[in-house]
Amino acid sequence: MPEATPETTPAFEFDQGIALTAHPDEPGRYDGELGDGWQIGGGVNGGLLLAFAAHALAREAGAAHPHPLTVSGTYISASRPGPATVRTEIVRRGRSLATGSAVLSQDGRERLRVTASFTDLAALDGEVATTALPPQLPAPEQCVGVEHAPRELLAEAALLERLDLRLDPATIGWAVGRPSKQGRIQGWFRLADKRPADALSLLLAADALPPVTFDLGRPGWAPTIELTVHVRALPADGWLRVSHATRNVAGGYFEEDCEVWDENGRLVAQSRQLAMAPR
């Protein structure tokens, strides 16, 4: 992945969004810029923030452990576009895993605290035994693109311009005032500039669809409290199938479970987040 230096600018928007420069005088510190193109609701998208911090930790973990295996973030306050700093600590480097923590801050205020483990996904045992099945979706051209989203949603979600989302028509009745009340939203995902998917971009994919509470008839911004992503395999290039679901809204909070499948039918990421229900 190219470095963010005055001489070299990453070719893809996602890589620009998570670009970091190592601080010359403080080991483990990385500085970057959160762009305004990744906003949703009142702040920068939680998946982008998780990838930003995980990128710093991957740099510290080193070439033997290049990929996130599990990344868990607690969101302390909303991040805004502008300069951001990630301070990292690797607490253990083993043969197969490196484990560490990171704090993302802006203007001296902590925004996100992360714990994560990194590995070499390409070197993992290839055995797969699963009862999970990918979501059944119409072809991408038969799904509903971002350009058809309600104006009020687009106005609050600059993030959507960075993504090529094609949502399953069966799960977007909420867009015309007829939510299914099943608590599920699913569809096809890829980055708008056709950047190939990788382990870091899966962290964004896990938090890229509209909040599943939309399908419960509760539209609005749903701030993430905690998000954990398990990266299970390196994704094949092409479309990703993403499915979000919830089974419990209580006390003003809801869980959102996500699965991400690649074009080869491989379950490449799973996540769960706790978020605040829209008011």
Side-chain angles (χ1 to χ4, degrees), residues 145-237:
V146 170
E147 67 274 12
H148 300 296
R151 289 184 180 179
E152 57 272 20
L153 177 60
L154 292 175
E156 293 292 324
L159 166 75
L160 295 179
E161 297 180 18
R162 314 274 82 77
L163 312 178
D164 187 356
L165 284 179
R166 311 289 179 87
L167 298 181
D168 182 353
T171 67
I172 61 164
W174 50 267
V176 291
R178 295 194 296 272
S180 77
K181 303 293 182 75
Q182 297 301 305
R184 180 176 295 276
I185 296 177
Q186 60 189 24
W188 301 93
F189 169 94
R190 65 184 177 186
L191 290 161
D193 58 7
K194 306 301 189 292
R195 178 196 187 275
D198 65 4
L200 282 176
S201 71
L202 291 177
L203 305 182
L204 172 66
D207 191 41
L209 270 59
V212 74
T213 44
F214 279 39
D215 189 51
L216 298 177
R218 303 179 68 166
W221 185 37
T224 302
I225 307 302
E226 192 272 346
L227 171 61
T228 296
V229 182
H230 298 161
V231 180
R232 307 306 303 272
L234 292 172
D237 191 19

Side-chain angles (χ1 to χ4, degrees), residues 24-185:
D25 301 320
E26 186 179 336
R29 171 179 167 175
Y30 295 86
D31 298 311
E33 184 87 11
L34 295 173
D36 57 11
W38 300 97
Q39 283 183 280
I40 184 164
V44 177
N45 170 262
L48 189 280
L49 294 173
L50 206 65
F52 190 86
H55 183 203
L57 276 168
R59 294 269 294 270
E60 285 295 297
H65 308 97
H67 308 123
L69 177 67
T70 177
V71 184
S72 182
T74 299
Y75 296 78
I76 297 166
S77 58
S79 295
R80 310 296 183 185
T85 294
V86 182
R87 288 180 170 86
T88 66
E89 179 185 10
I90 300 298
V91 296
R92 184 180 184 275
R93 282 188 178 86
R95 180 176 299 177
S96 61
L97 288 175
T99 301
S101 63
V103 173
L104 188 158
S105 61
Q106 291 184 297
D107 300 321
R109 295 186 60 191
E110 188 171 335
R111 304 296 195 189
L112 171 66
R113 185 173 289 258
V114 168
T115 57
S117 291
F118 289 76
T119 192
D120 183 354
L121 291 172
L124 295 184
D125 187 330
E127 180 184 5
V128 176
T130 180
T131 59
L133 297 171
Q136 297 303 302
L137 299 172
E141 60 271 16
Q142 296 175 325
C143 290
V144 180
V146 170
E147 67 274 12
H148 300 296
R151 289 184 180 179
E152 57 272 20
L153 177 60
L154 292 175
E156 293 292 324
L159 166 75
L160 295 179
E161 297 180 18
R162 314 274 82 77
L163 312 178
D164 187 356
L165 284 179
R166 311 289 179 87
L167 298 181
D168 182 353
T171 67
I172 61 164
W174 50 267
V176 291
R178 295 194 296 272
S180 77
K181 303 293 182 75
Q182 297 301 305
R184 180 176 295 276
I185 296 177

